[in-house]
Amino acid sequence: MQSALELLGLGSSCSILLVLDGADERNTMVIYSPTSHKRVDELPLFGESETVSGKVVISIKKGKSLQHMGIRIEFIGAIEMLYDRESSQEFTSLVRELEDPGILAGTRQYPFAFTNVEKTYDTYNGVNVRLRYFLRVTIQRPPYIPNIVKEFDIAVAHFQEEPQVNNSIRMEVGIEDSLHIEFEYKKSKLHLSDVVLGKVYFLQVRIKIKRMELEIKRRESVGTGVHAMNETDTLAKFEIMDGSPVRGESIPVRMFLSAYPSLTPTFKNINNKFSVKYFLNLVLVDEDDRRYFKQHEIFLWRCAT
Amino acid sequence: MEPSTPSTVNNTRKKPTGKAKGDLRRSGSSYNVHRRNDALKRRSASLSALSKIANSSDRPSPTTTGTNNTDDNKNKENDVATEFAEQQKRMRETAQELRKNSVLLRQAMEKDDLEQVLSRAADVLQALRIVPTIHPRLYYELYLAVSNELRHLEWFFLDQVKKNKVTALRLYEQVQETPHVVSRLYLLVVAGAVYMGVERTLTKSILKDLLEMCAGVQDPLKGLFLRGYFTQILRSKLSDTESGLTTTEAVEFLLWNFEEANRLWIRMQYEVNKERLRRSEERRQVETLVGLNISTIAHLNDLTVSLYSSVIFPAISQQICSCHDPMAQEYLADCVVQAFPDEYHLQTLSEFLTMCMKLIPGVSIRQVIGGLAERFAKFATLSEENRKLVEDSGTFLALERHLPNILSSQGNSLSLLDILSTLLSLTLFTLKAYPRQVEYVDTLLGFAIDALRSNHSFQNNKSSYASDESSTMRKNLLILEEGSPEERLIVRLLTSPLEEYKSITMTLRLGNFSSLLSFLRLEMQRFVAASLLRNQNEYRPCIGAVETLEKLFEFIRPLVEESPGETELIQKIANLTQIHPFHAHLPREVVKVSTTKVRVAEDDSGYFEQVQLLVAKIVYLLDETDSSSLFGLYRVVRRYLYRGGPRRTCITLPPLTFALLRLAHRRYKEETNSASLSDNNSESAENSAQHIFEFALETLSSLSESNVVTSLHLYLQGALAVNECAFRNNNDTLLYEFFARAYLLYEEEIADSRVQFSTLLLIIGTLRCVYRLEPDNYDTLCSKAVKHAAKLLTRADQCLALCACAQLFWTPWLMDASRTFSCLERAFRCAKSCLSLEERSLLLVDVLNASMNLYENGCMDIHLQFFVDIIQHVQQVTNRMGNESSIGKAASARLRRALNYMRKVEAEKYANLLRQPNLLVQ
């Protein structure tokens, strides 16, 4: 990309590198694509009020020089609406000036530090919305020449305390005269590598069931009012029963959430912009492929590992 | 959302078939009613014949589908063939996919890439998810292929764990991320096996977890195979001595798995979209997967009786009782019987039988109890200790106590056949295990009678619904069809004790024998009675009491008594055979009607005689120690034998007569002995020898109607016997009576001239031996003999008979030379008048010999000329015949021998004769 731009005369003759302090020891966080558990990126991970510091290395090609109107670095937390750019929002923005206007040549290093910067929210990579934290290095150019901008993403994750109250989910549901089940999940609040434990008890079975599945669904709600947008995706499909049970059968449920890395904690009304909710959906499929389902919200939280 | 509040939104969206309660929602594919119905029709139409195909290739089906319309049937068969072909095709495709995945799995294993191995293994296991389900046999093939791969996978896992590339726990968790439940659980079992191998202390909790998770497969076929796989893994763990599992725990797990497997198995019966017959057939194919658990338990190392009786059996039995499925109950009960050692069964017999009582109607009790009884029988015969064990544990008493309940609990569904064959196997067992306890067998026979009676009344009830006519027809007897299995079973029930005991007296203690016998057809009754007699080991005296004897006759009544209509039938046969072929067309109808019966009677005749001979032999069974009581027994015998009619008595009475004569003789000796001791012999007349002779005479008179020749012989035999005894009141009435009867028979009944001749000779011979007759009586009898001799048909007969008569008048007690000679003369005349030269020559030599005999004994009335005449006649005749005739040669040879005898041996007596010049013999 860089070289292609250069060929067109548009590319800059400078490269910007960002080296974070203690990068080698720092934990990373893998970013997955929102629905398919595919690995997208791996980012350095920061805690809530951790200092983000490091140095920016700018090198200009030999024999060239670059005139600039100043160099700065910004720390930005942004909520990006992928289909509605207008309502995107930067909820945090801090600036550090690195260099006054002048001419750059050779390689220069600029240390920077955003001490105890507030990082309220978790990084989130969704379908319609993305919550990012990044460092943006900008080399300002004279008028009519585009600035040279480079962004470096970091990830932020909050480790939560184990919830004090963790009720089980227990429910009896059915269709009159044909199917009646009772199910129970041991916990309603699960951490991301937790195991869904429970059982499904068949009180009455008059229809021929082919299989039973447990699904994890994510509902991503963006915006409010008329602009509200909901996106529901099934992140996990887990068959827990094959064949048709009879009355009195109790089917165990054990589902390892660690198998689904794109799960995130439940987010509630993040900066009034979006929410992410998770549901456990119990699905029974009968012989004619009709699906009977019952979903129930679960709360996912991130546990300090 | 509360489950009780109906969601209106959902209601509006839903089809009217189902109302939502709570908010369990239904969505998904629309469904086409017509299409589905068509498919259903097609499927159900094609099922029956499929089962046929499957059956023909595998095991015979107990029944075939009954459809009246043959066209329909053909169509169905075609459909079925196509469906089966489809299944096979699907199976082949799956197998192909499986092979491909197996190769990939092996490659991944070679690369040592755990992640990939796991996903490939899941792919391999996809084969076992095959939907819709296929025939068990096809599924089994897939299972075999997959389990082969899983073995490799287990080694791989073990290797990974040993190399510390992954912990067993992690592995155990990781496999659980597999999204499909069937694949997941197979992998879990494999991983569990590895885990158990590494962490022995966790074995128990791992097994528990595995079994709990296995509930995820609710499809009967898949579930059964999965649980079968689990059992196999568990089994291989158990063979390891340090499995970390006690026997009790192993039993617990196996029982648990067994219960679940059994439930799945039974559920196969209720799969709605398959025809009943096919379901049963498919179930039979997989029954071993359920039984595997039981057999694994049975093969556990440290199994003890107490564990069996306190834990294992109660659990299995509870499962059997509660499952309410005939096939399962039958198979499992049989499994239990066959899998566990006999000692265990002996301990739990009572419980086992209680369980049998709870089995639902329709279960083949005969197989269950029969199997058990057979095992016990085999066990008991193995060694004396075993037999003792069986005896000590009160096996029979338990059986006796429970059997009626078991049979009654089954109600009408238990066929007579089942009851009888159960009883038969129990009888066989009892005979082996309790060779002395006749009453046990008797009890069983009693059960059989009860069964027959109740069945009879049941049948009667049924028939009374049908029509009054038929019910009156079978008013009294249960009709057992000729050659029916029921009949055969009853016969075996009755004959097996006989064959085992080989003793009539033992058998006689079976009180129910004769009443059970009465349920059979007459022919079969006879057969059984005959085998009773035939199975006596040796004919040693064993019956001493009248009661016993009467019982014996009660048992063999069908043999002894004439059946109603028998005489008429025989008469008819006799009449038919007497019809001249020329007239055969006249009573054609009669012939037609009775030919079958005639054939039966004729075929039967050889058998009949054999059997009657057996009856006749009863006499030799009687205890001979006390002569007076023996006579009492003989009386009883005669009383019963009389009932048999002439056809039987002619075979059965002679031995009795001989026995009577022997007894009389013995009594006589005893009497004379005791008489010498004390004159005051107050012996009752009842038992005196004379009385016995009279009794014998009476016996014979009844016999004489049926078999003239035999009775005549017996009269003579009687005469000889009486002759041995000198009765004190010393008259020859009895002796004379015997002869008189013989003569009467001779005169009245014997028409055949040959027979006349032979019997007459016999009479004469006997008469010649008898010396106790009064002279007058002797004279009378002798003259009678001469008279009869002269009246014989042919000259030859007359001649020979007269020669014999001549002897009568020259005896130590009567020497009437003139009458002797006159007899000889008449004989000579008869011989001369014989037309045939050959015969004449021989007769003449006979007369010569007879004369010589008497002459040598001192009968001087036979003068020389008489001899000369005879000799000359002989010579003339032989000369006339010439050298060609062999008879002539023989005659002259005899003559020569006689003359030689005269010359050399008795030359003195014949001196005068020998001087005759014309007696020169060449």
Side-chain angles (χ1 to χ4, degrees), chain A residues 171-181 183 195 202 207-208 210-213 237-260 282-284 286-296, chain B residues 1-4 13-15 17-31 36 43 129 131 170 172-174 176-182 184 188 209 212-220 222 260 263-264 267 270-273:
Chain A
M171 189 163 255
E172 195 185 315
V173 287
I175 300 168
E176 206 174 319
D177 289 335
S178 58
L179 182 67
H180 218 81
I181 61 172
F183 63 82
V195 187
F202 285 81
I207 51 172
K208 181 88 177 148
K210 200 157 70 177
R211 61 173 191 274
M212 177 162 70
E213 288 169 351
K237 255 189 184 179
F238 190 72
E239 190 184 43
I240 53 173
M241 186 187 75
D242 180 286
S244 186
V246 293
R247 194 163 62 88
E249 288 290 353
S250 168
I251 310 298
V253 176
R254 185 189 294 163
M255 186 183 190
F256 284 83
L257 294 183
S258 55
Y260 311 102
L282 186 71
V283 185
L284 290 114
D286 78 359
E287 273 207 315
D288 304 305
D289 283 329
R290 280 175 296 198
R291 294 159 68 84
Y292 306 83
F293 58 91
K294 168 69 193 164
Q295 65 180 26
H296 208 283
Chain B
M1 274 175 276
E2 285 297 310
S4 52
R13 275 174 47 197
K14 211 153 293 146
K15 291 188 172 65
T17 46
K19 283 178 195 163
K21 187 187 175 192
D23 51 353
L24 187 72
R25 297 186 195 157
R26 185 160 73 187
S27 70
S29 76
S30 67
Y31 99 152
R36 181 159 168 270
R43 200 182 292 165
R129 287 188 65 223
V131 271
R170 175 66 198 133
Y172 191 69
E173 282 175 6
Q174 212 169 346
Q176 295 189 57
E177 293 174 5
T178 316
H180 289 120
V181 65
V182 175
R184 178 166 70 242
L188 192 63
D209 189 51
E212 270 170 6
M213 296 311 285
C214 277
V217 181
Q218 290 290 324
D219 181 272
K222 292 173 192 168
E260 295 294 331
R263 286 173 55 195
L264 287 172
R267 217 185 288 167
Y270 301 96
E271 290 188 336
V272 279
N273 50 2

Side-chain angles (χ1 to χ4, degrees), chain B residues 855-856 860 864 899-915:
Chain B
Y855 178 73
E856 281 160 29
M860 286 309 163
L864 272 180
L899 290 175
N900 278 342
Y901 175 80
M902 287 180 187
R903 280 193 199 109
K904 293 186 179 145
V905 184
E906 302 282 351
E908 250 174 61
K909 286 183 181 166
Y910 294 103
N912 293 334
L913 180 65
L914 291 172
R915 267 183 239 119

